[in-house]
Amino acid sequence: MKRTSPADDRNQLIIDDVSKAIIEQLQQDGRRPYAAIGKAVGLSEAAVRQRVQRLSDAGVIQIVAVTDPLQVGLFRQALVAVKVQGPIEPVADALAEIDEVAYVVICAGRFDVLCEIVCEDDAALLDLISRRVRTLPGVADTEVLVYLSLRKQSYQWGTR
């Protein structure tokens, strides 16, 4: 793994085929033992441990437990599309600080920012949108798309 010049203020690593194979092993099972991963990719347990640590430190991977929101009492999910007046980044950064916001992306097109909200119920969503999202400086307009049924959620996009 070699460091490249930063493309966007983050240190990036060039991911070789062995690191990609390690990532794919972890995407199948984030609890897979390093010894088993090493056997699958042709490295020692210690070498796998070091690579995983470097990938984690560089922000390439996170090893987390992904929950089903419904199973943990979070019954309302929504995509919120935001139009911004003025600089986009401060609005995106403020949205990212809200605990109920699962992800934030700056995008091109009709909206400037998209974010996913996961919260307890409709009352919590209304409060969040009304009091915390629409009142942010720079927010010009929002469109809320409430999820009615989650048909697919996958983190298995691999390393292509």
Side-chain angles (χ1 to χ4, degrees):
M1 294 184 285
K2 298 180 205 169
R3 292 208 178 270
T4 62
S5 61
D8 64 352
D9 296 307
R10 292 180 298 182
N11 289 329
Q12 292 186 342
L13 295 173
I14 294 175
I15 308 301
D16 63 16
D17 289 339
V18 174
S19 291
K20 287 180 182 180
I22 291 169
I23 292 168
E24 288 168 1
Q25 291 282 312
L26 289 168
Q27 283 184 322
Q28 291 170 17
D29 180 357
R31 298 179 304 157
R32 183 166 286 153
Y34 292 144
I37 295 170
K39 189 172 186 178
V41 302
L43 291 178
S44 69
E45 178 180 351
V48 170
R49 184 181 315 281
Q50 289 174 350
R51 281 188 184 237
V52 169
Q53 188 62 52
R54 281 196 304 246
L55 291 166
S56 180
D57 290 347
V60 174
I61 63 170
Q62 294 178 14
I63 300 172
V64 299
V66 178
T67 61
D68 175 350
L70 299 175
Q71 299 283 338
V72 295
L74 301 171
F75 297 106
R76 178 52 64 216
Q77 293 177 278
L79 180 68
V80 179
V82 181
K83 288 184 183 178
V84 175
Q85 184 172 26
I88 297 169
E89 291 86 352
V91 173
D93 292 342
L95 289 167
E97 292 297 317
I98 298 172
D99 288 339
E100 295 87 350
V101 173
Y103 73 81
V104 177
V105 293
I106 295 174
C107 54
R110 188 168 140 207
F111 296 98
D112 300 304
V113 179
L114 297 175
C115 64
E116 182 178 44
I117 291 177
V118 181
C119 57
E120 294 82 16
D121 54 27
D122 288 338
L125 178 62
L126 175 61
D127 183 67
L128 184 63
I129 298 298
S130 295
R131 297 178 192 271
R132 294 169 60 200
V133 174
R134 289 186 173 155
T135 60
L136 287 173
V139 171
D141 190 24
T142 60
E143 185 170 332
V144 180
L145 304 160
V146 174
Y147 298 0
L148 298 177
S149 175
L150 180 62
R151 306 308 272 195
K152 180 180 181 179
Q153 183 173 11
S154 174
Y155 299 97
Q156 298 280 332
W157 51 78
T159 56
R160 295 182 209 153

